[in-house]
Amino acid sequence: MLRPILKYGAPALHQPAEPVPAITPEIDRLIDDMIETMYAAPGVGLAAPQVGVGLRVFVVDVSVGRDSGSLIVMVNPRFVVREGTQIEEEGCLSVPGFEATVLRPARVVVRGLDRDGSEHEREGTGLLARAFQHEMDHLDGQVFVDRLRGLRRDMIVRKIKKLTRAGKW
Ligand SMILES: [Zn+2]
């Protein structure tokens, strides 16, 4: 089932998510819905707070469904390694229409639970490292706009406020 994606400004996007206590049928359904919603968007990643669920779950697929082996589900993830830096353009399904260059780690290793409850670890470089950090930020109540500084951030926030006032956000 597709779930509506919340936009920047929605309270669920700006507060830290809670750990998942157990993989229940409800969590399993949430994961199914998140995968479906991510592919439909389409996007390379989606975190539970983006669909209004304050739990530490994200899904990532840098192939956007083209390669069946690249779907990654992470429940209660944490960083094991974060190193180097990269600066690339980045966007977010919760901030449609805006992109900005964001400083991210070049390589990360994330450990968490798979959807069957088993522990797994995934390494990411390049786009995957960026996606992991982007989704982890969502679990901590951070949107990429919050990582920007100065004029670029002010401009995006101002435009979003304007769109919100006009009922177009
Ligand atoms: Zn995002």
Side-chain angles (χ1 to χ4, degrees):
M1 190 186 80
L2 291 178
R3 300 200 186 198
I5 298 175
L6 300 180
K7 289 182 186 169
Y8 187 90
L13 285 174
H14 304 284
Q15 56 205 35
E18 299 288 328
V20 174
I23 312 259
T24 57
E26 196 188 352
I27 296 295
D28 210 46
R29 214 154 36 235
L30 168 69
I31 291 168
D32 277 339
D33 291 352
M34 285 173 62
I35 293 167
E36 196 181 334
T37 303
M38 170 178 70
Y39 286 151
V44 299
L46 191 71
Q50 292 182 275
V51 293
V53 177
L55 290 171
R56 302 187 76 82
V57 180
F58 71 69
V59 296
V60 161
D61 182 347
V62 292
S63 84
V64 202
R66 281 188 297 271
D67 168 13
S68 62
S70 54
L71 173 65
I72 297 165
V73 176
M74 280 285 174
V75 177
N76 299 341
R78 63 189 186 278
F79 284 115
V80 182
V81 176
R82 243 188 311 183
E83 59 185 26
T85 53
Q86 56 168 317
I87 300 175
E88 295 288 342
E89 281 274 309
E90 186 170 317
C92 177
L93 294 176
S94 295
V95 195
F98 295 96
E99 286 195 340
T101 51
V102 186
L103 184 72
R104 296 293 193 187
R107 175 179 172 264
V108 304
V109 177
V110 179
R111 188 178 292 165
L113 300 180
D114 208 341
R115 62 182 308 171
D116 63 2
S118 63
E119 184 111 343
H120 71 147
E121 195 176 280
R122 302 296 290 258
E123 180 189 2
T125 57
L127 178 60
L128 185 55
R130 168 169 297 278
F132 278 149
Q133 181 68 66
H134 180 112
E135 302 313 327
M136 287 290 259
D137 278 0
H138 275 306
L139 303 187
D140 294 331
Q142 292 258 313
V143 182
F144 83 91
V145 178
D146 303 320
R147 290 242 178 212
L148 307 176
R149 292 288 170 265
L151 283 177
R152 186 75 187 131
R153 180 198 157 102
D154 293 349
M155 197 193 75
I156 292 178
V157 170
R158 205 164 50 237
K159 282 185 178 167
I160 290 173
K161 279 186 182 151
K162 205 171 161 189
L163 286 167
T164 305
R165 277 197 303 273
K168 290 173 179 167
W169 185 248

